[in-house]
Coordinates of all heavy atoms in Angstrom, one line a residue:
M6 N 92.4 63.2 115.1 CA 92.3 64.0 113.9 C 93.5 64.9 113.8 O 93.9 65.5 114.7 CB 91.0 64.8 114.0 CG 90.7 65.6 112.8 SD 89.0 66.5 112.9 CE 88.0 65.2 112.3
T7 N 93.9 65.1 112.6 CA 95.1 65.9 112.3 C 94.7 67.4 112.1 O 93.5 67.7 111.8 CB 95.9 65.5 111.1 OG1 95.1 65.6 110.0 CG2 96.3 64.0 111.2
Y8 N 95.6 68.2 112.3 CA 95.4 69.7 112.1 C 95.0 70.0 110.7 O 94.2 70.9 110.4 CB 96.6 70.5 112.5 CG 97.0 70.5 114.0 CD1 98.3 69.9 114.4 CD2 96.1 70.8 114.9 CE1 98.6 69.8 115.7 CE2 96.4 70.7 116.3 CZ 97.7 70.2 116.6 OH 98.0 70.2 118.0
V9 N 95.5 69.2 109.7 CA 95.2 69.4 108.3 C 93.7 69.1 108.1 O 93.0 69.9 107.4 CB 96.0 68.5 107.4 CG1 95.6 68.6 105.9 CG2 97.5 69.0 107.4
L10 N 93.2 68.0 108.6 CA 91.8 67.7 108.5 C 90.9 68.7 109.1 O 89.8 68.9 108.6 CB 91.5 66.3 109.0 CG 92.1 65.1 108.2 CD1 91.9 63.8 108.9 CD2 91.6 65.1 106.8
I11 N 91.3 69.2 110.2 CA 90.5 70.3 110.9 C 90.5 71.5 110.0 O 89.4 72.2 109.9 CB 91.0 70.6 112.3 CG1 90.9 69.3 113.2 CG2 90.4 71.8 112.9 CD1 91.6 69.4 114.5
S12 N 91.6 71.9 109.5 CA 91.8 73.2 108.7 C 91.2 73.1 107.3 O 90.8 74.2 106.8 CB 93.2 73.5 108.7 OG 93.8 73.7 109.9
L13 N 91.2 72.0 106.7 CA 90.8 71.9 105.3 C 89.4 72.5 104.9 O 89.4 73.2 104.0 CB 90.9 70.3 104.8 CG 91.0 70.2 103.3 CD1 92.1 70.9 102.7 CD2 91.1 68.7 103.0
P14 N 88.4 72.2 105.7 CA 87.1 72.7 105.3 C 87.1 74.3 105.3 O 86.5 74.9 104.5 CB 86.1 72.2 106.3 CG 86.8 71.1 106.9 CD 88.3 71.2 106.8
F15 N 87.9 74.8 106.3 CA 87.9 76.2 106.4 C 88.8 76.9 105.3 O 88.4 77.9 104.8 CB 88.5 76.6 107.8 CG 87.7 76.2 109.0 CD1 88.0 75.0 109.7 CD2 86.6 77.0 109.3 CE1 87.2 74.7 110.7 CE2 85.8 76.5 110.4 CZ 86.1 75.4 111.1
L16 N 89.8 76.2 104.9 CA 90.6 76.7 103.8 C 89.8 76.7 102.5 O 89.9 77.6 101.7 CB 91.9 75.9 103.7 CG 93.0 76.2 104.7 CD1 94.1 75.2 104.6 CD2 93.4 77.6 104.6
L17 N 89.1 75.6 102.3 CA 88.3 75.5 101.1 C 87.2 76.6 101.1 O 86.9 77.2 100.0 CB 87.6 74.1 101.0 CG 88.5 73.0 100.7 CD1 87.8 71.6 100.8 CD2 89.2 73.1 99.4
A18 N 86.6 76.9 102.2 CA 85.6 78.0 102.3 C 86.3 79.3 102.0 O 85.7 80.2 101.3 CB 85.0 78.0 103.7
A19 N 87.5 79.6 102.5 CA 88.2 80.8 102.3 C 88.6 81.0 100.8 O 88.4 82.0 100.2 CB 89.5 80.9 103.1
V20 N 89.0 79.9 100.2 CA 89.4 80.0 98.8 C 88.1 80.2 97.9 O 88.2 81.0 97.0 CB 90.1 78.7 98.3 CG1 90.2 78.6 96.8 CG2 91.5 78.5 98.9
S21 N 87.1 79.6 98.2 CA 85.7 79.8 97.5 C 85.3 81.2 97.7 O 84.9 81.9 96.8 CB 84.7 78.8 98.1 OG 85.0 77.5 97.8
G22 N 85.4 81.7 98.9 CA 85.0 83.1 99.2 C 85.9 84.1 98.4 O 85.4 85.1 97.8
A23 N 87.1 83.9 98.4 CA 88.1 84.8 97.7 C 87.8 84.8 96.2 O 87.7 85.8 95.5 CB 89.5 84.4 98.0
L24 N 87.6 83.5 95.7 CA 87.3 83.4 94.2 C 86.0 84.1 93.9 O 85.9 84.8 92.9 CB 87.2 81.9 93.9 CG 86.9 81.6 92.4 CD1 88.0 82.2 91.5 CD2 86.8 80.0 92.2
W25 N 85.0 83.9 94.7 CA 83.7 84.6 94.5 C 83.9 86.1 94.5 O 83.3 86.8 93.7 CB 82.7 84.2 95.6 CG 81.5 85.0 95.6 CD1 80.4 84.9 94.8 CD2 81.2 86.0 96.5 NE1 79.4 85.9 95.1 CE2 79.9 86.6 96.2 CE3 81.9 86.6 97.6 CZ2 79.3 87.6 96.9 CZ3 81.3 87.7 98.2 CH2 80.0 88.2 97.9
S26 N 84.7 86.6 95.4 CA 84.8 88.0 95.6 C 85.6 88.6 94.3 O 85.2 89.7 93.8 CB 85.7 88.3 96.8 OG 86.0 89.7 96.9
V27 N 86.6 87.9 93.9 CA 87.4 88.4 92.7 C 86.4 88.4 91.4 O 86.5 89.3 90.7 CB 88.7 87.5 92.5 CG1 89.3 87.8 91.2 CG2 89.6 87.8 93.6
L28 N 85.7 87.3 91.3 CA 84.8 87.2 90.1 C 83.7 88.3 90.2 O 83.3 88.9 89.2 CB 84.1 85.8 90.1 CG 85.1 84.7 89.7 CD1 84.4 83.4 89.8 CD2 85.8 84.9 88.3
R29 N 83.2 88.6 91.4 CA 82.3 89.7 91.5 C 82.9 91.0 91.2 O 82.2 91.8 90.5 CB 81.8 89.6 93.0 CG 80.6 90.6 93.2 CD 80.1 90.3 94.6 NE 79.0 91.3 94.8 CZ 78.7 91.7 96.0 NH1 79.2 91.3 97.1 NH2 77.6 92.6 96.1
E30 N 84.1 91.2 91.7 CA 84.8 92.4 91.3 C 85.0 92.6 89.8 O 84.9 93.7 89.2 CB 86.2 92.5 92.1 CG 86.9 93.8 91.9 CD 86.3 94.9 92.7 OE1 85.4 94.6 93.6 OE2 86.8 96.0 92.5
K31 N 85.4 91.5 89.1 CA 85.5 91.5 87.7 C 84.2 91.9 87.0 O 84.2 92.7 86.0 CB 86.0 90.1 87.2 CG 86.3 90.0 85.8 CD 86.7 88.6 85.4 CE 86.8 88.5 83.8 NZ 87.0 87.2 83.4
S32 N 83.1 91.3 87.4 CA 81.9 91.6 86.8 C 81.4 93.0 87.0 O 80.7 93.6 86.2 CB 80.8 90.6 87.2 OG 80.5 90.8 88.6
R33 N 81.7 93.6 88.2 CA 81.3 94.9 88.5 C 82.2 96.0 87.9 O 81.8 97.0 87.4 CB 81.2 95.1 90.0 CG 80.1 94.5 90.7 CD 80.1 94.8 92.1 NE 78.9 94.3 92.7 CZ 78.5 94.6 94.0 NH1 79.4 95.2 94.8 NH2 77.4 94.1 94.5
H34 N 83.6 95.8 88.0 CA 84.5 96.8 87.7 C 85.5 96.4 86.6 O 86.4 97.3 86.3 CB 85.2 97.3 88.9 CG 84.3 97.8 90.0 ND1 83.5 98.9 89.9 CD2 83.9 97.2 91.2 CE1 82.8 99.1 91.0 NE2 83.0 98.0 91.8
G35 N 85.4 95.2 86.1 CA 86.4 94.8 85.0 C 87.6 94.1 85.5 O 87.8 93.8 86.7
V36 N 88.3 93.6 84.5 CA 89.5 92.7 84.7 C 90.6 93.5 85.5 O 91.2 92.9 86.4 CB 90.1 92.2 83.4 CG1 91.3 91.4 83.6 CG2 89.0 91.4 82.6
T37 N 90.8 94.7 85.2 CA 91.9 95.5 85.9 C 91.6 95.5 87.4 O 92.5 95.4 88.2 CB 91.9 96.9 85.4 OG1 92.2 96.8 83.9 CG2 93.1 97.7 86.0
A38 N 90.3 95.8 87.8 CA 90.0 95.8 89.3 C 90.2 94.4 89.9 O 90.7 94.4 91.0 CB 88.6 96.3 89.4
A39 N 89.8 93.4 89.2 CA 90.0 92.0 89.7 C 91.4 91.7 89.9 O 91.8 91.1 90.9 CB 89.3 91.0 88.8
R40 N 92.3 92.1 89.0 CA 93.7 91.8 89.1 C 94.3 92.7 90.3 O 95.2 92.1 91.0 CB 94.4 92.2 87.8 CG 94.3 91.2 86.7 CD 95.0 91.6 85.5 NE 94.8 90.6 84.4 CZ 94.8 90.8 83.2 NH1 95.2 92.0 82.7 NH2 94.6 89.9 82.3
R41 N 93.9 93.9 90.4 CA 94.3 94.7 91.5 C 93.9 94.0 92.9 O 94.8 93.9 93.8 CB 93.7 96.1 91.4 CG 94.2 97.0 92.5 CD 93.8 98.4 92.4 NE 92.3 98.6 92.1 CZ 91.8 99.1 91.0 NH1 92.6 99.6 90.1 NH2 90.5 99.1 90.8
Q42 N 92.7 93.5 92.9 CA 92.3 92.8 94.1 C 93.2 91.6 94.4 O 93.6 91.3 95.6 CB 90.9 92.4 94.1 CG 90.3 91.8 95.3 CD 88.9 91.4 95.3 OE1 88.1 91.8 94.3 NE2 88.4 90.8 96.3
L43 N 93.5 90.8 93.4 CA 94.4 89.7 93.5 C 95.7 90.0 94.0 O 96.3 89.3 94.9 CB 94.5 88.9 92.2 CG 93.3 88.0 91.9 CD1 93.4 87.4 90.5 CD2 93.1 86.9 92.9
K44 N 96.3 91.1 93.5 CA 97.6 91.6 93.9 C 97.6 92.0 95.4 O 98.5 91.7 96.1 CB 98.0 92.8 93.0 CG 98.4 92.3 91.6 CD 98.9 93.5 90.8 CE 99.1 93.1 89.3 NZ 99.4 94.3 88.5
V45 N 96.5 92.7 95.8 CA 96.5 93.1 97.1 C 96.3 91.9 98.1 O 97.1 91.8 99.1 CB 95.3 94.1 97.4 CG1 95.0 94.3 98.9 CG2 95.5 95.4 96.7
I46 N 95.5 90.9 97.7 CA 95.4 89.7 98.5 C 96.8 89.0 98.6 O 97.1 88.5 99.7 CB 94.3 88.8 97.9 CG1 93.0 89.4 98.1 CG2 94.4 87.4 98.6 CD1 91.8 88.7 97.4
A47 N 97.4 88.9 97.6 CA 98.8 88.2 97.5 C 99.8 88.9 98.4 O 100.5 88.3 99.2 CB 99.3 88.1 96.1
L48 N 99.8 90.3 98.3 CA 100.7 91.0 99.1 C 100.4 90.9 100.6 O 101.3 90.7 101.4 CB 100.7 92.5 98.7 CG 101.6 93.5 99.5 CD1 103.0 93.1 99.4 CD2 101.3 94.9 99.1
V49 N 99.1 91.0 101.0 CA 98.8 90.9 102.4 C 99.0 89.5 102.9 O 99.5 89.4 104.0 CB 97.2 91.4 102.5 CG1 96.7 91.0 103.9 CG2 97.0 92.9 102.3
T50 N 98.7 88.5 102.1 CA 99.0 87.2 102.5 C 100.5 86.9 102.8 O 100.9 86.4 103.8 CB 98.5 86.2 101.5 OG1 97.1 86.3 101.3 CG2 98.8 84.8 101.9
A51 N 101.4 87.5 101.9 CA 102.8 87.3 102.1 C 103.3 88.0 103.4 O 104.0 87.4 104.1 CB 103.5 87.9 100.9
V52 N 102.8 89.2 103.6 CA 103.2 89.9 104.8 C 102.7 89.2 106.1 O 103.5 89.0 107.0 CB 102.6 91.4 104.8 CG1 102.8 92.1 106.1 CG2 103.3 92.2 103.7
V53 N 101.5 88.7 106.0 CA 100.9 88.0 107.2 C 101.7 86.7 107.4 O 101.9 86.3 108.6 CB 99.4 87.8 107.1 CG1 98.8 86.9 108.1 CG2 98.7 89.2 107.2
L54 N 102.0 86.0 106.4 CA 102.7 84.7 106.6 C 104.1 85.0 107.1 O 104.6 84.2 108.0 CB 102.8 84.1 105.2 CG 101.6 83.4 104.7 CD1 101.8 82.8 103.3 CD2 101.1 82.3 105.6
V55 N 104.8 86.0 106.7 CA 106.1 86.4 107.3 C 106.0 86.7 108.8 O 106.8 86.2 109.6 CB 106.8 87.5 106.5 CG1 108.0 88.1 107.3 CG2 107.2 87.0 105.1
L56 N 105.0 87.5 109.1 CA 104.7 87.9 110.5 C 104.4 86.6 111.3 O 104.9 86.5 112.5 CB 103.7 88.9 110.6 CG 104.0 90.3 110.1 CD1 102.8 91.2 110.1 CD2 105.2 91.0 110.9
T57 N 103.6 85.7 110.7 CA 103.2 84.5 111.4 C 104.5 83.6 111.7 O 104.7 83.1 112.8 CB 102.2 83.7 110.6 OG1 101.0 84.5 110.4 CG2 101.9 82.4 111.2
A58 N 105.3 83.6 110.7 CA 106.6 82.7 110.9 C 107.4 83.3 112.0 O 107.9 82.5 112.8 CB 107.3 82.7 109.5
V59 N 107.6 84.6 112.0 CA 108.5 85.2 113.0 C 107.9 85.0 114.4 O 108.5 84.5 115.3 CB 108.7 86.7 112.7 CG1 109.4 87.4 113.9 CG2 109.5 86.9 111.4
F60 N 106.6 85.5 114.6 CA 106.1 85.4 116.0 C 105.7 84.0 116.4 O 105.9 83.8 117.6 CB 104.9 86.4 116.0 CG 105.3 87.9 115.9 CD1 105.0 88.6 114.8 CD2 106.0 88.4 117.0 CE1 105.4 89.9 114.7 CE2 106.3 89.8 116.9 CZ 106.1 90.5 115.8
D61 N 105.3 83.1 115.6 CA 105.0 81.8 116.0 C 106.3 81.0 116.4 O 106.3 80.3 117.3 CB 104.2 81.0 114.9 CG 102.8 81.4 114.9 OD1 102.4 82.4 115.5 OD2 102.0 80.8 114.1
N62 N 107.4 81.3 115.6 CA 108.7 80.7 116.1 C 109.0 81.2 117.5 O 109.5 80.4 118.3 CB 109.8 81.1 115.0 CG 110.0 80.0 114.0 OD1 110.3 78.9 114.3 ND2 109.7 80.4 112.8
L63 N 108.9 82.5 117.7 CA 109.2 83.0 119.0 C 108.3 82.4 120.1 O 108.8 82.1 121.2 CB 109.1 84.5 119.0 CG 110.1 85.3 118.3 CD1 109.7 86.8 118.2 CD2 111.5 85.1 118.9
M64 N 107.0 82.3 119.9 CA 106.1 81.7 120.9 C 106.4 80.2 121.1 O 106.3 79.8 122.3 CB 104.6 81.9 120.4 CG 104.1 83.3 120.5 SD 102.3 83.5 120.2 CE 102.1 82.7 118.6
I65 N 106.7 79.5 120.1 CA 107.0 78.1 120.3 C 108.4 78.0 121.0 O 108.5 77.1 121.9 CB 107.1 77.3 118.9 CG1 105.6 77.3 118.4 CG2 107.6 75.9 119.1 CD1 105.6 76.8 116.9
W66 N 109.3 78.8 120.7 CA 110.6 78.7 121.3 C 110.5 79.1 122.8 O 111.2 78.5 123.6 CB 111.6 79.7 120.6 CG 112.9 79.9 121.3 CD1 114.0 79.0 121.2 CD2 113.3 81.0 122.1 NE1 115.0 79.5 122.0 CE2 114.6 80.7 122.6 CE3 112.7 82.1 122.5 CZ2 115.3 81.6 123.4 CZ3 113.4 83.0 123.4 CH2 114.7 82.7 123.8
A67 N 109.6 80.0 123.1 CA 109.4 80.4 124.5 C 108.6 79.4 125.3 O 108.4 79.5 126.5 CB 108.8 81.8 124.6
G68 N 108.1 78.4 124.6 CA 107.3 77.4 125.3 C 105.8 77.8 125.5 O 105.1 77.2 126.3
L69 N 105.3 78.8 124.9 CA 103.9 79.3 125.1 C 102.9 78.4 124.3 O 101.8 78.4 124.7 CB 103.8 80.7 124.6 CG 104.7 81.8 125.4 CD1 104.5 83.1 124.7 CD2 104.2 81.8 126.8
V70 N 103.4 77.8 123.2 CA 102.5 77.0 122.4 C 103.3 75.7 122.1 O 104.5 75.6 121.9 CB 102.2 77.7 121.1 CG1 101.3 76.9 120.2 CG2 101.6 79.0 121.3
G71 N 102.5 74.6 122.0 CA 103.1 73.3 121.6 C 102.1 72.6 120.7 O 100.9 72.8 120.7
Y72 N 102.6 71.6 120.0 CA 101.8 70.8 119.0 C 102.1 69.3 119.3 O 103.2 69.0 119.4 CB 102.1 71.2 117.6 CG 101.8 72.7 117.3 CD1 102.7 73.7 117.4 CD2 100.5 73.0 116.9 CE1 102.4 75.0 117.2 CE2 100.2 74.3 116.6 CZ 101.1 75.3 116.7 OH 100.8 76.6 116.5
G73 N 101.1 68.5 119.2 CA 101.2 67.1 119.4 C 101.9 66.6 118.1 O 101.4 66.9 117.0
D74 N 102.9 65.7 118.2 CA 103.5 65.2 117.0 C 102.6 64.3 116.2 O 102.7 64.2 115.0 CB 104.8 64.4 117.4 CG 105.9 65.3 117.9 OD1 105.9 66.5 117.5 OD2 106.8 64.8 118.6
G75 N 101.7 63.6 116.8 CA 100.8 62.7 116.1 C 99.7 63.4 115.3 O 99.2 62.8 114.3
E76 N 99.5 64.7 115.5 CA 98.5 65.4 114.7 C 99.0 66.2 113.6 O 98.3 66.9 112.9 CB 97.7 66.3 115.7 CG 96.8 65.6 116.7 CD 97.5 65.1 117.9 OE1 98.6 65.6 118.2 OE2 97.1 64.1 118.5
R77 N 100.4 66.3 113.5 CA 101.0 67.1 112.5 C 101.5 66.4 111.3 O 101.7 65.2 111.4 CB 102.2 67.9 113.1 CG 101.9 68.7 114.3 CD 103.1 69.3 114.9 NE 104.4 68.6 114.5 CZ 105.5 69.1 114.7 NH1 105.7 70.3 115.2 NH2 106.6 68.4 114.3
L78 N 101.7 67.1 110.2 CA 102.3 66.5 109.0 C 103.8 66.2 109.2 O 104.3 65.3 108.7 CB 102.2 67.4 107.8 CG 100.8 67.6 107.2 CD1 100.8 68.6 106.1 CD2 100.3 66.3 106.6
G79 N 104.5 67.0 110.0 CA 105.9 66.9 110.2 C 106.7 67.9 109.5 O 107.9 68.1 109.8
W80 N 106.1 68.6 108.6 CA 106.8 69.7 107.9 C 106.9 70.9 108.8 O 105.9 71.3 109.4 CB 106.2 70.0 106.6 CG 106.1 68.9 105.6 CD1 106.8 67.7 105.6 CD2 105.1 68.8 104.6 NE1 106.4 66.9 104.7 CE2 105.3 67.5 104.0 CE3 104.1 69.6 104.1 CZ2 104.6 67.1 102.8 CZ3 103.4 69.2 103.0 CH2 103.7 67.9 102.4
Q81 N 108.0 71.6 108.9 CA 108.2 72.7 109.7 C 109.0 73.9 109.0 O 109.8 73.6 108.1 CB 108.9 72.4 111.0 CG 108.1 71.5 111.9 CD 108.9 71.2 113.2 OE1 108.5 70.4 113.9 NE2 110.0 71.9 113.5
L82 N 108.7 75.1 109.4 CA 109.5 76.2 109.0 C 110.1 76.8 110.3 O 109.4 77.4 111.1 CB 108.7 77.3 108.3 CG 109.4 78.4 107.7 CD1 110.4 78.0 106.7 CD2 108.4 79.5 107.1
G83 N 111.3 76.5 110.5 CA 111.9 76.7 111.9 C 111.3 75.8 112.9 O 111.3 74.5 112.7
L84 N 110.6 76.3 113.9 CA 109.9 75.5 114.8 C 108.4 75.4 114.5 O 107.7 74.7 115.2 CB 110.1 76.2 116.2 CG 111.5 76.3 116.7 CD1 111.5 77.1 118.1 CD2 112.1 74.9 117.0
V85 N 108.0 76.1 113.5 CA 106.5 76.3 113.3 C 106.1 75.1 112.3 O 106.6 75.0 111.2 CB 106.2 77.6 112.6 CG1 104.7 77.7 112.4 CG2 106.7 78.7 113.5
P86 N 105.1 74.4 112.7 CA 104.5 73.3 111.8 C 103.8 74.0 110.7 O 103.2 75.1 110.9 CB 103.5 72.6 112.7 CG 103.6 73.1 114.1 CD 104.5 74.3 114.0
V87 N 103.8 73.5 109.5 CA 103.2 74.1 108.4 C 101.7 74.4 108.5 O 101.2 75.3 108.0 CB 103.5 73.3 107.0 CG1 102.8 72.0 107.1 CG2 103.2 74.1 105.8
E88 N 101.1 73.5 109.3 CA 99.6 73.7 109.6 C 99.3 75.0 110.3 O 98.2 75.5 110.2 CB 99.1 72.5 110.4 CG 99.2 71.2 109.8 CD 100.5 70.5 110.1 OE1 101.5 71.1 110.5 OE2 100.5 69.2 109.9
D89 N 100.3 75.6 111.0 CA 100.1 76.8 111.7 C 99.9 78.0 110.8 O 99.3 79.0 111.2 CB 101.3 77.0 112.6 CG 100.9 77.9 113.9 OD1 99.7 77.8 114.2 OD2 101.8 78.5 114.4
F90 N 100.3 77.9 109.6 CA 100.1 79.0 108.6 C 98.7 78.9 108.0 O 98.3 79.9 107.3 CB 101.2 78.8 107.5 CG 102.6 79.1 108.0 CD1 103.4 78.0 108.3 CD2 103.0 80.4 108.2 CE1 104.7 78.2 108.8 CE2 104.3 80.6 108.7 CZ 105.1 79.6 108.9
F91 N 97.9 77.9 108.2 CA 96.6 77.8 107.6 C 95.7 78.9 108.1 O 94.9 79.5 107.3 CB 95.9 76.5 107.9 CG 96.6 75.3 107.2 CD1 96.4 74.0 107.5 CD2 97.5 75.5 106.1 CE1 97.0 73.0 106.9 CE2 98.2 74.4 105.5 CZ 97.9 73.1 105.9
Y92 N 95.7 79.3 109.4 CA 94.9 80.3 109.9 C 95.2 81.7 109.2 O 94.3 82.4 108.8 CB 95.1 80.5 111.4 CG 94.3 81.6 112.0 CD1 92.9 81.5 112.1 CD2 94.9 82.8 112.3 CE1 92.1 82.6 112.6 CE2 94.2 83.9 112.8 CZ 92.8 83.7 112.9 OH 92.1 84.8 113.4
A93 N 96.5 82.0 109.0 CA 96.9 83.2 108.3 C 96.3 83.2 106.9 O 95.8 84.3 106.4 CB 98.4 83.3 108.3
I94 N 96.4 82.1 106.2 CA 95.9 82.1 104.8 C 94.4 82.2 104.8 O 93.8 82.9 104.0 CB 96.3 80.7 104.2 CG1 97.9 80.7 104.0 CG2 95.6 80.6 102.8 CD1 98.4 79.4 103.6
F95 N 93.8 81.6 105.8 CA 92.3 81.6 105.9 C 91.8 83.1 106.1 O 91.0 83.6 105.3 CB 91.8 80.8 107.0 CG 90.4 80.9 107.4 CD1 89.4 80.4 106.7 CD2 90.0 81.8 108.5 CE1 88.0 80.6 107.0 CE2 88.7 81.9 108.9 CZ 87.7 81.3 108.1
V96 N 92.5 83.8 107.0 CA 92.1 85.1 107.3 C 92.3 86.1 106.1 O 91.5 86.9 105.7 CB 92.8 85.7 108.5 CG1 92.7 87.2 108.7 CG2 92.3 84.9 109.7
T97 N 93.5 86.0 105.5 CA 93.8 86.9 104.4 C 93.0 86.7 103.1 O 92.9 87.5 102.3 CB 95.3 86.8 104.0 OG1 95.7 85.5 103.7 CG2 96.1 87.3 105.2
L98 N 92.4 85.4 103.0 CA 91.5 85.2 101.9 C 90.1 85.6 102.2 O 89.4 86.1 101.3 CB 91.6 83.7 101.5 CG 92.9 83.2 100.8 CD1 92.8 81.7 100.6 CD2 93.2 84.0 99.6
L99 N 89.6 85.2 103.3 CA 88.2 85.3 103.6 C 87.8 86.7 104.1 O 86.7 87.2 103.7 CB 87.7 84.3 104.6 CG 86.2 84.1 104.7 CD1 85.6 83.7 103.3 CD2 85.8 83.1 105.7
V100 N 88.6 87.4 104.9 CA 88.2 88.7 105.4 C 88.0 89.7 104.2 O 87.0 90.4 104.2 CB 89.1 89.2 106.5 CG1 88.9 90.6 106.8 CG2 89.0 88.4 107.8
P101 N 88.9 89.8 103.3 CA 88.7 90.7 102.2 C 87.4 90.3 101.4 O 86.7 91.2 100.9 CB 89.9 90.7 101.4 CG 91.0 90.1 102.3 CD 90.3 89.3 103.2
A102 N 87.2 89.0 101.2 CA 86.0 88.6 100.4 C 84.7 89.1 101.1 O 83.8 89.5 100.5 CB 86.1 87.1 100.3
L103 N 84.7 88.9 102.4 CA 83.5 89.3 103.2 C 83.4 90.8 103.2 O 82.3 91.4 103.1 CB 83.6 88.8 104.6 CG 83.5 87.2 104.8 CD1 83.7 86.8 106.2 CD2 82.2 86.7 104.2
W104 N 84.5 91.5 103.3 CA 84.5 93.0 103.3 C 84.0 93.5 102.0 O 83.2 94.4 101.9 CB 85.9 93.5 103.6 CG 85.9 95.0 103.7 CD1 86.2 95.9 102.7 CD2 85.8 95.7 104.9 NE1 86.1 97.1 103.2 CE2 85.9 97.1 104.5 CE3 85.5 95.4 106.2 CZ2 85.8 98.1 105.5 CZ3 85.4 96.4 107.1 CH2 85.5 97.7 106.7
K105 N 84.5 92.9 100.8 CA 84.1 93.3 99.5 C 82.6 92.9 99.3 O 81.9 93.7 98.6 CB 85.0 92.7 98.4 CG 86.4 93.2 98.4 CD 86.5 94.7 98.0 CE 86.5 94.8 96.5 NZ 86.7 96.2 96.1
G106 N 82.2 91.8 99.8 CA 80.8 91.4 99.6 C 79.9 92.2 100.3 O 78.7 92.4 100.0
H107 N 80.3 92.9 101.4 CA 79.5 93.7 102.2 C 79.2 95.0 101.6 O 78.1 95.6 101.7 CB 80.1 94.0 103.6 CG 79.4 94.8 104.5 ND1 79.0 96.1 104.3 CD2 78.9 94.6 105.7 CE1 78.3 96.7 105.3 NE2 78.3 95.7 106.2
K108 N 80.1 95.6 100.8 CA 80.0 96.9 100.1 C 78.9 96.9 99.1 O 78.7 96.1 98.4 CB 81.3 97.3 99.5 CG 82.3 97.7 100.6 CD 83.6 98.1 99.9 CE 84.2 99.3 100.7 NZ 85.3 99.8 100.1

């Protein structure tokens, strides 16, 4: 099984949760609040992806982490397989959705 197939259900759940959260924000506080939430999610996602790229490259370079070639797509950013960024995307989409849903 590839890393993409393992990650896909989680990414779909995260996108669904984020969409639900934004739509809920829109119904409660209007379009402006929903747009603000989308901007915050986008900014946080960008920052976390940059940090992931930096630190994962360092960890792979140091030999702390390795990936099987047969389970990867083959696309990389430096030493980091693209699948490694899925966790960062999952977290930055789902955690705010759960947080907003709790309030």
Side-chain angles (χ1 to χ4, degrees):
M6 181 174 279
T7 64
Y8 296 121
V9 172
L10 291 177
I11 293 169
S12 300
L13 197 56
F15 296 100
L16 286 175
L17 291 174
V20 169
S21 298
L24 181 61
W25 168 79
S26 177
V27 170
L28 292 174
R29 186 172 182 208
E30 186 73 11
K31 180 182 174 188
S32 70
R33 286 183 170 184
H34 303 288
V36 175
T37 304
R40 285 184 183 152
R41 183 175 47 242
Q42 183 177 355
L43 283 172
K44 288 177 185 177
V45 169
I46 290 171
L48 177 64
V49 169
T50 301
V52 169
V53 170
L54 287 174
V55 168
L56 291 172
T57 299
V59 170
F60 289 108
D61 284 9
N62 267 295
L63 290 172
M64 288 190 303
I65 293 168
W66 175 77
L69 299 174
V70 179
Y72 296 91
D74 289 336
E76 291 82 23
R77 300 177 343 161
L78 287 175
W80 302 339
Q81 292 184 187
L82 184 62
L84 299 173
V85 182
V87 70
E88 297 92 339
D89 207 24
F90 293 99
F91 293 165
Y92 176 73
I94 295 169
F95 170 78
V96 167
T97 59
L98 290 177
L99 196 57
V100 168
L103 293 174
W104 185 270
K105 293 293 277 187
H107 180 300
K108 287 181 143 184

